[in-house]
Amino acid sequence: MPDKHEGRELIIGTYTERLPHVDGKADGVLSCSVDGTAVGPPRTLARTRNPSFIVLSGDGRRLYAVNETVTFEDRPGGGVSAFSRDPATGELSFLNAMSSGGVEPAHIEIDPTGRFLLVANYRSGSVAVFSLEADGRLGAMTGHIQHEGGSLHPVRQSGPHAHMALFDPRTGDVLVPDLGIDAVLVYTLTESGALVEQGGRRIAVTPGAGPRHLAFHPDGDRLFVVNELDNTLVALRRDGNDFSPTSAVSVLPEAFEAHSQAAALRVSPSGHWVLVSNRGAESDSVAVVRFDAADGSLGLVHTQPTSGREPRDFIFTAGGSRVIVANQDSDSIVVFAFDDATGELGLLAKTTVPTPVCLRTV
């Protein structure tokens, strides 16, 4: 029987330039074919600077990328670039680009109505909102929020660091984890494209934990937070207008003491598993965590080495039977078979791809 994902395309956000944490080697947004067992060799779709995080419109006809830089178009800050996409060929055509309203943008998201684009600027700890024109171009900046504060870590938490923006599938609220201030902030996106914080609804994490990414369970009522600095995963349950924690677990093996930083977070389509990528010379792996929806508990089952260095993003494909991982610092993408009954990962293939970071399929 042919794989459900046969013939689909993997689109890859990359680094193209040297930054303090990476030596970028790619030349822009890349693409590989996906056949369910392996990914094909990469081709360049668009040349643009450090498109480390990308997002596609629901119909696949638009692609937006952050430009994770400290200067953009000869001005301080990062950028956002818009492209149209030919669904027949996958080719990208540049539409326009704008300043991201902050330094080193790390995440980008389209609101469910398709009217606005949200960008989280990591280094400067801000979130910007842009209108989207009918042809896909970036319009005016309609909103900008600057976070304030810090937390325990003297280097990583000396100021705010907004790391992503996620829409609540039930309420439409915007959830923004800020690594620098140890909180997930909750906003309303207004009809005009402004962000208004909902007072008293911040989700606090353990001081020094460093919340990085969020993901909802398929039921829409469970929320997961991965903390980069203390390498923990937290499960929360919707409780009226708020979320209450039900369980927390380390994503590293017991007694592990070397340096590691948690990165991406994904929930399996079945909702039985939560996976997290670990980055470190002795920890480069995907942690497989079992989730019990009955009591909201988490349990680390095992960590699977990713056959590469600095695994960043990863995605489930083929109905959850495959996991594709981007190894940023060893220039590779690997494909694993995933057993939803046991949580086991089995290496299927490895492809050379320069500094891959973000993965999307279409």
Side-chain angles (χ1 to χ4, degrees):
M1 174 185 259
D3 188 277
K4 294 178 183 178
H5 229 61
E6 187 173 12
R8 296 187 69 178
E9 180 184 11
L10 180 70
I11 304 180
I12 307 156
T14 70
Y15 283 112
T16 64
E17 302 172 2
R18 183 186 294 272
L19 291 173
H21 65 283
V22 65
D23 182 12
K25 301 170 185 173
D27 55 8
V29 179
L30 307 179
S31 171
C32 294
S33 61
V34 182
D35 67 6
T37 301
V39 300
R43 66 187 179 101
T44 301
L45 293 180
R47 297 178 185 274
T48 187
R49 296 176 61 198
N50 289 343
S52 61
F53 205 91
I54 58 176
V55 67
L56 285 152
S57 60
D59 62 6
R61 293 178 178 274
R62 306 283 185 264
L63 182 143
Y64 301 92
V66 302
N67 298 106
E68 188 180 332
T69 60
V70 295
T71 60
F72 185 74
E73 295 182 343
D74 299 322
R75 288 184 290 183
V80 188
S81 295
F83 302 87
S84 64
R85 178 178 176 274
D86 184 330
T89 65
E91 296 300 322
L92 297 180
S93 299
F94 177 72
L95 294 174
N96 69 337
M98 297 181 68
S99 166
S100 68
V103 181
E104 290 185 357
H107 188 273
I108 192 167
E109 186 62 278
I110 301 171
D111 95 282
T113 71
R115 297 174 56 218
F116 299 104
L117 185 77
L118 280 68
V119 181
N121 293 296
Y122 173 80
R123 171 93 67 97
S124 51
S126 62
V127 183
V129 185
F130 298 87
S131 64
L132 293 177
E133 305 295 342
D135 64 357
R137 293 176 184 271
L138 298 165
M141 182 185 291
T142 59
H144 187 275
I145 294 289
Q146 177 62 57
H147 292 178
E148 303 289 344
S151 194
L152 295 183
H153 196 289
V155 177
R156 298 295 307 279
Q157 295 183 313
S158 60
H161 296 301
H163 223 304
M164 77 174 296
L166 179 70
F167 283 89
D168 185 323
R170 292 275 188 263
T171 66
D173 295 335
V174 181
L175 279 61
V176 179
D178 192 304
L179 181 149
I181 64 176
D182 281 326
V184 178
L185 289 72
V186 182
Y187 293 100
T188 297
L189 179 65
T190 70
E191 282 294 312
S192 64
L195 287 173
V196 179
E197 186 177 1
Q198 298 187 20
R201 291 197 57 200
R202 289 191 182 190
I203 302 170
V205 302
T206 301
R212 177 185 173 96
H213 276 192
L214 312 171
F216 276 93
H217 188 272
D219 68 12
D221 286 325
R222 318 297 181 102
L223 176 68
F224 302 97
V225 182
V226 65
N227 295 305
E228 177 175 337
L229 301 184
D230 74 355
N231 300 288
T232 58
L233 174 68
V234 180
L236 304 100
R237 184 195 306 269
R238 194 182 298 276
D239 183 9
N241 291 328
D242 299 310
F243 290 92
S244 299
T246 60
S247 183
V249 67
S250 172
V251 294
L252 297 171
E254 189 174 353
F256 183 91
E257 296 183 352
H259 175 73
S260 186
Q261 297 180 124
L265 163 67
R266 300 285 183 183
V267 184
S268 69
S270 70
H272 298 153
W273 305 94
V274 185
L275 275 57
V276 174
S277 54
N278 296 314
R279 300 168 295 163
E282 298 179 35
S283 69
D284 289 326
S285 61
V286 171
V288 180
V289 179
R290 186 186 299 275
F291 176 65
D292 187 334
D295 61 8
S297 64
L298 298 166
L300 177 65
V301 175
H302 70 104
T303 57
Q304 171 67 48
T306 60
S307 297
R309 301 193 309 276
E310 198 79 2
R312 285 288 298 269
D313 198 10
F314 63 92
I315 54 174
F316 282 95
T317 66
S321 67
R322 299 289 186 267
V323 174
I324 305 177
V325 183
N327 287 313
Q328 174 190 290
D329 288 356
S330 55
D331 302 327
S332 65
I333 288 179
V334 291
V335 182
F336 292 92
F338 182 71
D339 187 332
D340 194 72
T342 65
E344 292 299 312
L345 287 161
L347 181 63
L348 295 176
K350 186 175 183 177
T351 302
T352 298
V353 178
T355 40
V357 185
C358 180
L359 304 178
R360 295 288 181 267
T361 53
V362 65

